[in-house]
Amino acid sequence: MTLDKYKINAGYIRGTIDLSVMKAKLLVNGVDTKTIPTVGDGSFTYYANDKILSPLDIAVMVGMDSKSVEIVRRTIILDNWTDADLTIDPMTTANAYLSGTAPIGSTVRYSINGVTKTLGTVTDGTYKWSSGVQPAGNIMKVELREGSIYNVSKEITVQTIAGAPTTPTGLTLSSVTATTAKLTWTAVAGATSYKLYQNGYDTVWKTVTTNSVDLTGTTGSTWTYRIAATNAVGDSYRSNSISLTYL
């Protein structure tokens, strides 16, 4: 007995079967689903779309003689998902959803900048997750799981909107003391304000309308900062980070 690889929702298990096999049965996770008469020409086709439902299923085809005595069994290899099975819709700073297409029955994992946010199972061939509006430059990742392994992975980067300001540059720290410091950067043409991000978080820490900010902290503490310029259209990409350690 030889069986083709089977992909979830592909419809039919196909293969060849020895003429000594008079009937067969499909076991899914150890459960006998149905006894199947075989075709005399050695070909084998069996509808399994309503029986093998998950990449985690263990499916076995058992061949029997005319007296229902088992004479052969083969594990059905569930075909791996490939890159073609997964899509991610483009995202900008105006889109609060991570969405795309994935195989029905597949398990998907969503990550933002390497931090896993949720797990889910695709039921209609699409997925949509309210990720919240993400800063430009964030890496959005979707993975498909087969068995215990996420063997397909794709990423996209959240894009700025046309007309948003350019990324701030020239971040500089000055007047650093044990409890105070000043952070400045080069003013960006067309920017109406600047968003400050602290210690790598995606939540805006502070918004200012000038290209500088006075900082306060505690002796010996260390902080990192990134800046995004914004206007009525949207936000720029965030700048490279700068690190501050109070004296």
Side-chain angles (χ1 to χ4, degrees):
M1 180 189 294
T2 62
L3 299 171
D4 297 339
K5 286 184 177 181
Y6 180 80
K7 185 170 288 189
I8 306 301
N9 299 302
Y12 292 87
I13 300 170
R14 303 181 190 277
T16 61
I17 199 162
D18 191 274
L19 295 180
S20 63
V21 176
M22 305 304 295
K23 49 189 173 180
K25 62 182 177 182
L26 174 66
L27 305 179
V28 180
N29 300 324
V31 178
D32 187 351
T33 63
K34 186 179 180 181
T35 299
I36 315 152
T38 60
V39 178
D41 64 359
S43 64
F44 185 82
T45 301
Y46 178 63
Y47 183 77
N49 207 36
D50 57 344
K51 297 177 177 62
I52 303 175
L53 304 176
S54 166
L56 301 178
D57 287 339
I58 298 174
V60 176
M61 190 65 69
V62 176
M64 300 172 287
D65 63 16
S66 60
K67 296 181 179 180
S68 298
V69 176
E70 178 180 332
I71 56 177
V72 63
R73 68 168 50 202
R74 294 285 184 270
T75 298
I76 299 168
I77 299 174
L78 303 184
D79 202 3
N80 292 337
W81 305 125
T82 67
D83 284 353
D85 293 311
L86 175 66
T87 67
I88 308 177
D89 296 332
M91 285 189 69
T92 70
T93 52
N95 183 3
Y97 292 93
L98 178 63
S99 60
T101 61
I104 295 173
S106 61
T107 301
V108 292
R109 177 164 68 183
Y110 313 92
S111 304
I112 300 175
N113 285 343
V115 179
T116 300
K117 295 294 182 179
T118 189
L119 292 169
T121 300
V122 176
T123 58
D124 64 357
T126 65
Y127 63 88
K128 187 175 184 179
W129 178 55
S130 181
S131 57
V133 174
Q134 298 294 316
N138 263 9
I139 305 298
M140 313 296 288
K141 182 177 183 180
V142 178
E143 300 169 277
L144 292 182
R145 187 180 76 188
E146 189 154 24
S148 61
I149 300 172
Y150 286 88
N151 67 323
V152 173
S153 174
K154 284 188 175 181
E155 295 181 347
I156 61 167
T157 301
V158 178
Q159 303 293 310
T160 59
I161 302 173
T166 58
T167 306
T169 59
L171 274 66
T172 304
L173 289 165
S174 61
S175 304
V176 179
T177 71
T179 57
T180 62
K182 189 178 188 68
L183 175 62
T184 60
W185 55 93
T186 303
V188 176
T192 56
S193 62
Y194 301 90
K195 295 179 179 179
L196 280 68
Y197 294 85
Q198 192 179 60
N199 288 355
Y201 294 114
D202 287 339
T203 303
V204 177
W205 172 64
K206 182 177 289 189
T207 300
V208 298
T209 55
T210 60
N211 61 314
S212 66
V213 63
D214 293 321
L215 305 171
T216 59
T218 57
T219 301
S221 62
T222 298
W223 304 82
T224 60
Y225 297 94
R226 298 176 73 185
I227 312 295
T230 187
N231 61 16
V233 175
D235 298 349
S236 72
Y237 291 107
R238 286 172 290 181
S239 67
N240 292 333
S241 64
I242 191 169
S243 181
L244 162 66
T245 300
Y246 290 98
L247 302 179

